[in-house]
Each structure stands twice: as structure tokens, then as C-alpha cells.
Amino acid sequence: QQPVQSPQAVILREGEDAVINCSSSKALYSVHWYRQKHGEAPVFLMILLKGGEQKGHEKISASFNEKKQQSSLYLTASQLSYSGTYFCGTEMTYNSGAGSYQLTFGKGTKLSVIP
Amino acid sequence: SQTIHQWPATLVQPVGSPLSLECTVEGTSNPNLYWYRQAAGRGLQLLFYSVGIGQISSEVPQNLSASRPQDRQFILSSKKLLLSDSGFYLCAWSVHRVPFNSPLHFGNGTRLTVT
């Protein structure tokens, strides 16, 4: 089941903040976030595990609300280098409570940071 | 350190011709291996994944196939390409772990154009 990302695209000026959301209709074990520059391979940003944790990497952080089956990526004081397409990947939880071997990615959110 | 090699980087093939894309991982053993496809402006679609030699799981019915003849080698093939097979093909690996809560490491991708 493909997660739904919103917004599809966003344009920011340097220094502005943005939030990208990822939601699933299935119970999730983990949520991954990746960034892809045009013509390049996706690069891993962070993983969030069920339990409602929040992680951060410099000015990029994320939260995972297991009950709502949602994750949000927060980009603060955006820089030109933040431009790219952001993908969330979700790992579902089986009835046994175990996770799966695979990620299903959303369609991506294109972020453009302009001077 | 672990590295992933994927080749060729670009490929132009006529409709009906065969396809073979190769991916190898170095510096780790028994990785999970994945083939993803990304159509222009679209998200990442999981095509195949493998948790061990000779073990292939297909996520999407299609005219593509995958094989894992060696622990760190993953091959994507087709006997007859279709126009709809055009896209950006990405090989990825992750640590073999249950649940799957380790990052995906992507190769640089192969841009395939079927004419």
C-alpha cells in the first residue's frame, strides 16, 4: 500500500521552513526518509521506528505518530542544498507484529529552495 | 566500507531487444538486494527483492525478471523490452535484518530508454 505524501511540491525562499507529510492506511513498523537530487540516486536521511520517536539531523527533523500512521519531515531555515525530491518509504507491520523486508515509497514531494 | 556498483549508467535499446542490468555490492555479506524503477517524474516502484541467493520476490507482474546468482550480485533482465520499460532503474542493498529497519543504499542507477 503506497503511502500518500503531501504537498506534491513546495517552493521556499532561503531561510523559510517547510513540513512534508507522509500517511499510510496500514499499520507501520518504520518510516524512512530519502532525498533525491535531479538525475541522482536517493540518499538516506533518517529512519523512524514505531514508538512515536522523533529524530533530527542538523536542521532536518522528523516525527512518527504510530497511532495516526503518519510521519512528518521538518525542514527549518532551508538552504539551497535542500532542493530535491523527498520520498518517504514505509515498512508495514504484519499481524505478528514483525516488520517486512521491503519499503513502499510515496510519490515524492518536490522541494525547490530559491535565493 | 560497503559500496554498490550498477552498470551501465545509460542504455538505449530498441523495442523487442533483450535487457541485462547488473548490480554488485562490496564490503558486506548476505545483503538484502532490491531493484526499483522510477518513471519520469514518478515515485520509486519496487520491482524485485532478494534476501538470499536464488531467492527472488516479485512485486509487480511484468516482462522483467531478476536473478541472484551470487551473494552480492543482482541482475535485472528482460527477453523483450517494451516502450513502457523506459525509466530509471535503481539497485539498492540493505543489511539483512528482520524487521527491515536499516537504510537502503542505492546505486547510481541506469537510465534506460526503449525506442
Side-chain angles (χ1 to χ4, degrees), chain B:
Chain B
S1 63
Q2 303 90 357
T3 55
I4 178 168
H5 303 279
Q6 187 180 343
W7 67 94
T10 59
L11 190 60
V12 179
Q13 293 281 95
V15 168
S17 64
L19 173 74
S20 180
L21 302 181
E22 192 162 340
C23 171
T24 59
V25 179
E26 296 178 356
T28 188
S29 59
N30 195 29
N32 288 352
L33 295 173
Y34 304 82
W35 279 110
Y36 282 88
R37 176 170 62 195
Q38 187 174 32
R42 302 289 297 278
L44 295 157
Q45 180 187 32
L46 178 63
L47 300 176
F48 301 95
Y49 71 95
S50 171
V51 300
I53 296 175
Q55 300 178 62
I56 310 293
S57 295
S58 174
E59 290 301 303
V60 183
Q62 57 216 333
N63 68 319
L64 299 172
S65 62
S67 61
R68 184 170 177 172
Q70 300 181 41
D71 181 43
R72 290 169 289 178
Q73 184 184 27
F74 207 22
I75 298 172
L76 183 69
S77 304
S78 174
K79 293 182 178 178
K80 288 185 177 182
L81 284 169
L82 306 173
L83 286 174
S84 57
D85 291 326
S86 293
F88 191 42
Y89 288 82
L90 290 156
C91 180
W93 75 272
S94 71
V95 173
H96 182 72
R97 180 182 298 168
V98 178
F100 173 59
N101 59 355
S102 60
L104 274 179
H105 305 279
F106 288 90
N108 288 331
T110 295
R111 191 161 302 282
L112 171 66
T113 303
V114 182
T115 60

Side-chain angles (χ1 to χ4, degrees), chain A:
Chain A
Q1 190 84 21
Q2 185 177 38
V4 176
Q5 285 186 236
S6 62
Q8 292 183 334
V10 58
I11 299 174
L12 298 175
R13 292 197 178 276
E14 272 188 292
E16 291 183 338
D17 303 339
V19 180
I20 299 172
N21 298 303
C22 174
S23 63
S24 174
S25 59
K26 300 286 187 180
L28 299 178
Y29 191 93
S30 67
V31 178
H32 298 220
W33 286 97
Y34 293 78
R35 177 171 63 205
Q36 184 179 30
K37 302 277 187 177
H38 183 68
E40 300 179 4
V43 174
F44 169 76
L45 293 176
M46 63 188 78
I47 293 175
L48 300 106
L49 305 179
K50 66 178 182 178
E53 67 171 339
Q54 186 158 352
K55 281 194 173 181
H57 177 67
E58 296 182 344
K59 295 180 180 177
I60 300 176
S61 61
S63 63
F64 176 26
N65 187 320
E66 179 189 351
K67 290 183 179 179
K68 291 186 177 180
Q69 296 160 190
Q70 292 177 347
S71 178
S72 295
L73 187 71
Y74 307 95
L75 301 102
T76 58
S78 58
Q79 306 167 15
L80 293 176
S81 61
Y82 286 3
S83 293
T85 301
Y86 289 78
F87 292 97
C88 70
T90 54
E91 176 193 9
M92 292 186 294
T93 301
Y94 291 139
N95 291 336
S96 63
S100 65
Y101 280 111
Q102 54 185 291
L103 288 184
T104 303
F105 285 93
K107 292 185 177 180
T109 295
K110 185 174 182 180
L111 178 72
S112 301
V113 181
I114 58 177

